[in-house]
Amino acid sequence: MKRVSRVLVTATTVLAVAAAPAVATAESESKDRPELQSRLDDLVAAGAVGALAEVRDEHGVWRGTSGVAERDTTQEIPVQGRFRAGSVTKTFLATAILQLVDEGQLRLDDTVEEWLPGAVPNGDGITVRQLLNHTSGLYDYRRTLTLPPDPEFLNNRWRTWTANELVGRAVANPPTFEPPGSEYEYSNTGYVLLGQIVEKATGRSYGEEIERRIIQPLRLNGTTMPGESPRMDEPHPHGYVPAEWGGETHLVDFTEMNPSVLGAGGEVISTTKDLNQFVAALLDGRLLSDDQLDEMTTPAVEGETYGLGLAWRDTSCGVRVYGNDGDALAYQSWSYSTEDQQQQVTIALTPDFSGDPDDAADAFLEEAICG
C-alpha cells in the first residue's frame, strides 16, 4: 500500500504530541550495535511512538527497540512484538499464487474474466500477472474510502468489508490508464481480486492458503492472517491514528480494528523475526521454483522496482536488497534482504504523525546493509 502516512502528515502538521519518555532496549545474539540503536532512536524522533527492529548479518542477530509500547507510559516495546505489516502481505499472497502456478492450478496469463466472470470491466484484458505487478490500470479502492484524520473513519472501525464491496467501489471509477500492462500504478484492488482467484482455484480462502503453504511450513509462530478478527495477540505495541474533532487533532488507539478494510493485500500480522525468516526462505528457493522466483523479481515496467508482489532497492553501497514495505494505518514496516540472505533487516514502528519517518527508516536500512 502506498504510504498513507505521507498524506496524513500533511493533514496533521498542527498535531502536537507530548514527548514520550526515552525508553530504549537492545537484545543481541552477537554484540551491541550502538550505531543501529542510534538510527532506531532517530527513527522514533522523526515521528514514531515506538519502533523495533531485527538485523541479521555476519555479526549475528541484533534486535532493538526505541520509544514506548503505549503513549503516556514508560512501557518498553516487546522486542518480539507483533504488528500489522500492511502490504508485506502482498509478498505472502504473491508467493502462494506463484506456488499455484508451479503446480499448474493457474497461469500468470490467465485473465480475471476466466476466474471471476463479470467482476471487472475488461476482465478478459487483465491478467493475473498484471494484478500482481500493478499494471492492471484498476482504480485503487483505498482512494474511495474515508481515511484519517477524518473522524468518520472511526465509524467503520469494526465494519467487515467484503471483497466484492471493495472491488465494486474501485470499478465505479474509470481505469487509471489503458490498455492494461502499459503502465505501472500501485493498486490494492488487484490484490483483492487475487485473493478471490485463490479461493476459486483452491476452494479455500487466501488466508488459509497462506497459512498452510507459508506460515506453518516455516514455523512463523508470530504470524497470523486475522481475516475479520480485530484482535492482535500479545505481545505488541499499541498503534494510533489521527482524528480531528473540536478543532484539534487527537491520536486514537487503533490497535484493535477489523482488518478486512486492508484487503487481501494488507492484513498480515507478524514479527521482525518472522518477516526476516520469510524473506530469506523466499529468496533461497524454499518456497518457489527458480522460474517463478525469476518472474517475481522481473520489473513490472522497465525502470520500476516492483515485480510480482516483491520490491527491491539499491543501497548507497551498491548492494541490492529485496522485500517489501507496508502501511497498515497505525503501523508501518519494512523488510528487506540481500539476494544471498547474508544481510537482512526488518523494522516496524507505530507512527505518531508528528513527522514523516520514511527518511529515518531509509537511514536505518542503509546502516544495516552498508554500515
Side-chain angles (χ1 to χ4, degrees):
M1 172 178 167
K2 283 186 175 178
R3 292 232 170 267
V4 174
S5 61
R6 292 193 180 108
V7 177
L8 299 181
V9 168
T10 302
T12 59
T13 52
V14 299
L15 178 64
V17 181
V23 178
T25 63
E27 173 187 312
S28 176
E29 295 175 18
S30 53
K31 64 178 183 178
D32 289 338
R33 305 282 293 273
E35 70 284 0
L36 290 174
Q37 186 63 58
S38 177
R39 290 294 188 184
L40 200 59
D41 294 340
D42 290 345
L43 199 156
V44 170
V49 176
L52 61 160
E54 180 185 272
V55 174
R56 294 172 176 258
D57 56 20
E58 69 274 17
H59 303 295
V61 179
W62 180 90
R63 300 187 185 100
T65 72
S66 186
V68 294
E70 186 174 2
R71 293 182 69 231
D72 302 321
T73 74
T74 58
Q75 181 183 348
E76 294 181 359
I77 293 180
V79 74
Q80 295 281 25
R82 293 175 170 86
F83 50 87
R84 300 189 190 276
S87 285
V88 180
T89 311
K90 291 180 174 64
T91 311
F92 282 84
L93 181 57
T95 301
I97 286 171
L98 290 171
Q99 286 184 354
L100 291 171
V101 172
D102 267 333
E103 295 161 10
Q105 295 193 57
L106 59 82
R107 300 175 305 155
L108 289 173
D109 292 330
D110 286 348
T111 67
V112 176
E113 187 68 18
E114 289 177 71
W115 286 102
L116 307 171
V120 299
N122 191 30
D124 58 353
I126 299 173
T127 65
V128 169
R129 184 193 306 274
Q130 291 162 353
L131 298 180
L132 285 165
N133 66 16
H134 300 292
T135 62
S136 70
L138 290 168
Y139 195 85
D140 191 340
Y141 77 85
R142 297 283 180 92
R143 299 180 189 173
T144 73
L145 301 175
T146 300
L147 292 171
D150 189 329
E152 189 176 322
F153 169 78
L154 301 176
N155 295 335
N156 291 324
R157 178 174 188 162
W158 312 115
R159 174 179 173 173
T160 296
W161 294 86
T162 68
N164 286 338
E165 279 184 292
L166 297 176
V167 172
R169 295 178 71 96
V171 300
N173 295 273
T176 54
F177 60 83
E178 291 184 295
S182 62
E183 298 181 37
Y184 169 91
E185 185 160 345
Y186 200 95
S187 174
N188 290 284
T189 307
Y191 277 76
V192 175
L193 290 164
L194 288 167
Q196 292 180 298
I197 289 172
V198 167
E199 185 170 351
K200 280 290 188 74
T202 67
R204 290 177 288 269
S205 73
Y206 67 84
E208 291 172 315
E209 285 297 297
I210 289 172
E211 287 271 2
R212 78 183 195 89
R213 291 173 174 274
I214 302 170
I215 295 173
Q216 293 174 4
L218 295 182
R219 298 180 180 178
L220 305 181
N221 297 324
T223 302
T224 58
M225 298 294 292
E228 300 166 10
S229 172
R231 295 191 67 252
M232 189 173 352
D233 291 339
E234 297 284 358
H236 60 74
H238 287 244
Y240 303 87
V241 295
E244 294 179 348
W245 67 80
E248 297 181 352
T249 302
H250 308 263
L251 284 185
V252 177
D253 192 322
F254 210 69
T255 307
E256 292 195 348
M257 48 85 74
N258 187 323
S260 61
V261 69
L262 302 174
E267 73 168 63
V268 77
I269 292 171
S270 195
T271 67
T272 56
K273 178 181 178 181
D274 279 7
L275 290 187
N276 275 339
Q277 290 179 338
F278 165 59
V279 176
L282 177 61
L283 294 178
D284 75 7
R286 277 180 278 164
L287 297 173
L288 294 175
S289 68
D290 289 345
D291 287 346
Q292 297 313 322
L293 193 54
D294 286 345
E295 292 277 9
M296 200 176 212
T297 54
T298 299
V301 173
E302 186 176 354
E304 292 293 341
T305 57
Y306 197 100
L308 305 186
L310 189 71
W312 51 90
R313 59 169 69 195
D314 293 319
T315 61
S316 60
C317 55
V319 176
R320 175 166 291 186
V321 291
Y322 294 86
N324 214 335
D325 58 53
D327 189 333
L329 298 172
Y331 297 87
Q332 294 176 7
S333 56
W334 296 256
S335 188
Y336 288 92
S337 172
T338 54
E339 188 173 9
D340 63 6
Q341 308 98 57
Q342 295 303 301
Q343 294 171 280
Q344 292 186 267
V345 53
T346 296
I347 315 164
L349 63 83
T350 51
D352 66 16
F353 304 98
S354 63
D356 187 342
D358 278 7
D359 288 346
D362 289 345
F364 186 97
L365 290 167
E366 287 281 333
E367 181 64 45
I369 300 299
C370 298

